[in-house]
Amino acid sequence: MGDYGHELRFGIFVPPEAARGRELLRLVRLADEQGLEILAVQDHPYQPAFLDTWTLLSYLAGVTRNLTLMPAVANLPLRPPAVLSRAAASLDLLSGGRVELGLGAGAFWDAIDAMGGQRRPPGEALQALREAIAVIRALWNTEERPYLHGEIYTLRGAKPGPRPPHPIGIWLGVYGPRALAMTGELADGWLGGFAYAPPDSLAARMAAIDAGARAAGRVPALIRRAYVIEPAMPQAQLTEIALAHGISEFLLQVAPGDEWETQRFAAETAPAVRAAVAAARVA
């Protein structure tokens, strides 16, 4: 554990509130103009007060120029992985390579069940996540038609494509020991947040990811780490989290209308953390 030397990136994490769509649009444009790098949007398809996340990201791709766009995290039980694979590749093409894919095993099972999704116990949900990653990546590889015979998801020679213009990273929004080990084994990144993984729990969780990576013959430093933060977290704390736990992506949790917090984060906090981390690395 510790600092893996990754370039730091900063962004915002937002709920897609339908009633505040115009405010949300202004906020995202501000983040793009102020030099933030990531837009992560919650995905709760069963929530009628929310805009559909994938539709929103597709729209926002057309009104931004720099932001990386990411569902955080895509609700796998309600988004079949083969279709999600093509959706992500399509948006990556249309946005000029600005898409990353956050995935989760599922939560809020009553709401998922009410929408017609499959309710899964924890072990089965984790197996579904593992198989979904294989399905998604198989369809991004356009060399040959894939055949995958999983317990939950299968591919029977589906035509692959379209090929995304850049290697889309798969980030897992998971917290349990087995899921964190899977992150180290299979994922490009981990996406967590202070609400479920407070700062004092990060050491153990990062160690679990690293152990999973080493067990799979991977270098732990290959897995990037993103962390949703609350506005009250000071610059010194973010610097410590970056240096002690290898977190390199910081996502400020904001609501539509939180333009002041977003602008301050971009203009003050992000440069200060970058400078402090760079100074520590030199030292």
Side-chain angles (χ1 to χ4, degrees), residues 129-197:
L129 180 58
R130 174 182 291 276
E131 293 179 12
I133 294 170
V135 166
I136 290 167
R137 286 185 171 147
L139 291 174
W140 287 340
N141 178 2
T142 56
E143 298 302 321
E144 58 186 21
R145 295 191 179 193
Y147 288 82
L148 298 176
H149 304 286
E151 298 175 18
I152 297 162
Y153 299 118
T154 62
L155 289 175
R156 304 182 184 91
K159 292 181 180 180
R163 181 188 290 274
H166 95 291
I168 298 176
I170 293 180
W171 301 67
L172 299 189
V174 295
Y175 297 95
R178 288 185 299 164
L180 291 168
M182 183 191 295
T183 302
E185 176 190 355
L186 298 175
D188 301 293
W190 175 76
L191 176 56
F194 71 93
Y196 297 100

Side-chain angles (χ1 to χ4, degrees), residues 31-50:
D32 194 45
E33 293 165 359
Q34 291 292 314
L36 291 176
E37 295 136 309
I38 307 166
L39 171 66
V41 180
Q42 298 178 28
D43 185 34
H44 299 284
Y46 39 76
Q47 172 53 271
F50 282 179

Side-chain angles (χ1 to χ4, degrees), residues 47-82:
Q47 172 53 271
F50 282 179
L51 298 165
D52 173 71
T53 292
W54 206 265
T55 304
L56 175 63
L57 289 172
S58 300
Y59 179 83
L60 293 174
V63 299
T64 59
R65 293 293 176 265
N66 303 304
L67 287 169
T68 293
L69 308 164
M70 175 190 292
V73 289
N75 189 287
L76 187 59
L78 291 174
R79 298 191 186 276

Side-chain angles (χ1 to χ4, degrees), residues 225-282:
R225 330 284 165 120
Y227 195 50
V228 176
I229 63 171
E230 60 178 337
M233 288 184 177
Q235 172 257 316
Q237 185 178 21
L238 302 187
T239 301
E240 179 184 358
I241 288 172
L243 294 171
H245 306 301
I247 302 294
S248 58
E249 332 270 323
F250 290 96
L251 306 175
L252 182 70
Q253 180 171 289
V254 289
D258 287 346
E259 295 183 21
W260 182 85
E261 290 285 3
T262 298
Q263 188 162 1
R264 185 178 67 86
F265 187 62
E268 299 177 16
T269 306
V273 175
R274 281 196 176 100
V277 169
R281 286 173 174 173
V282 171

Side-chain angles (χ1 to χ4, degrees), residues 197-221:
D200 62 4
S201 75
L202 285 174
R205 287 188 161 97
M206 297 306 98
I209 293 172
D210 291 354
R214 285 191 290 268
R218 301 179 74 199
V219 177

